[in-house]
Amino acid sequence: MHRRSFLAATAGASAIGLAGCTSFLEASIPGELEGVDADRQLPVPTLGDGTVPVTVYEDLGCPHCQEFQADVFPTIESDYIEPGEIQYRHRDFVVMASDSSAARANAARAVQAETRTDGDPNGRFFEYKRAVMRDDIGGADELAATAEDVGVDPSAVTTALEDDTYYPTLVADWERGDEKGVEATPTVFVDGEPVDDSQDEESIVAAIENALA
């Protein structure tokens, strides 16, 4: 049985799942992704060319991930990505924190696939991701219209949503996260180690500074 209920974890939760969007008791792959073969994968969306890897597992429909994007990511971007200190990697970890979680992730990967080049494997992924992590976005029409807002043919998103085109990429990311013990979103790994509180800016900054020292 797949448990998809939303849980804001309490202070007594485990280190990785200290707070965030998670399945009840343990992370279980959502029914939408169950049985999908992870045979077609897109490149990992990555920002920066630093030596320290910072990997963030997110559900684009998760309110805690949306807060992370709005409040924590700007500091990481300005202080560590832009100066070339870290390599920031996005991983999808869909726990159906909202009814549109899988759709948002699928749509974002459609934008990536539509706009990536040999020299830029991200395409407009991060621009679109920021846009759809607002809590008022989620329907198919809205997701397609948002693609147009970032200069992408909305039919690329519409087709991906109808065909579940990028579910294999979502499954591959979910399996990687599950193997690493991810239980909630967001979960941040700095240089391969999980940050105890992945929503706390000070904890993440301290982990990055320690890895850079």
Side-chain angles (χ1 to χ4, degrees):
M1 177 179 179
H2 292 284
R3 295 170 289 274
R4 306 183 209 168
S5 59
F6 174 80
L7 173 66
T10 62
S14 65
I16 293 178
L18 197 69
C21 300
T22 181
S23 299
F24 183 63
L25 296 181
E26 63 181 34
S28 298
I29 194 166
E32 285 84 345
L33 305 182
E34 187 178 21
V36 175
D37 185 6
D39 59 347
R40 301 187 314 279
Q41 299 176 33
L42 290 171
V44 180
T46 302
L47 296 172
D49 55 4
T51 57
V52 173
V54 176
T55 303
V56 183
Y57 285 84
E58 294 179 279
D59 179 318
L60 302 191
C62 166
H64 296 286
C65 294
Q66 292 163 3
E67 291 174 5
F68 177 93
Q69 175 68 34
D71 300 334
V72 180
F73 177 76
T75 297
I76 297 174
E77 183 176 37
S78 62
D79 292 359
Y80 299 104
I81 297 174
E82 292 176 354
E85 299 282 353
I86 67 170
Q87 186 179 81
Y88 183 92
R89 303 169 181 170
H90 167 88
R91 292 286 192 185
D92 288 293
F93 197 74
V94 178
V95 293
M96 297 308 293
S98 76
D99 291 340
S100 62
S101 290
R104 294 187 204 210
N106 189 27
R109 294 307 188 133
V111 168
Q112 179 189 9
E114 189 74 7
T115 58
R116 71 188 179 102
T117 65
D118 289 341
D120 180 15
N122 298 327
R124 296 174 190 162
F125 172 86
F126 284 103
E127 183 180 356
Y128 183 79
K129 173 190 167 185
R130 284 193 295 269
V132 298
M133 289 189 80
R134 304 197 309 268
D135 60 11
D136 59 342
I137 295 289
D141 291 343
E142 294 169 323
L143 291 170
T146 304
E148 190 170 25
D149 290 343
V150 300
V152 177
D153 186 342
S155 67
V157 167
T158 300
T159 299
L161 293 176
E162 290 174 349
D163 297 342
D164 300 337
T165 306
Y166 300 101
Y167 276 21
T169 293
L170 306 186
V171 169
D173 273 5
W174 197 96
E175 289 177 347
R176 288 187 183 93
D178 187 49
E179 289 172 0
K180 290 181 175 295
V182 174
E183 296 177 351
T185 55
T187 290
V188 178
F189 287 83
V190 175
D191 206 17
E193 296 297 323
V195 177
D196 285 349
D197 186 349
S198 288
Q199 289 180 257
D200 179 63
E201 182 177 314
E202 291 186 3
S203 297
I204 296 168
V205 167
I208 293 173
E209 290 291 340
N210 287 337
L212 289 170

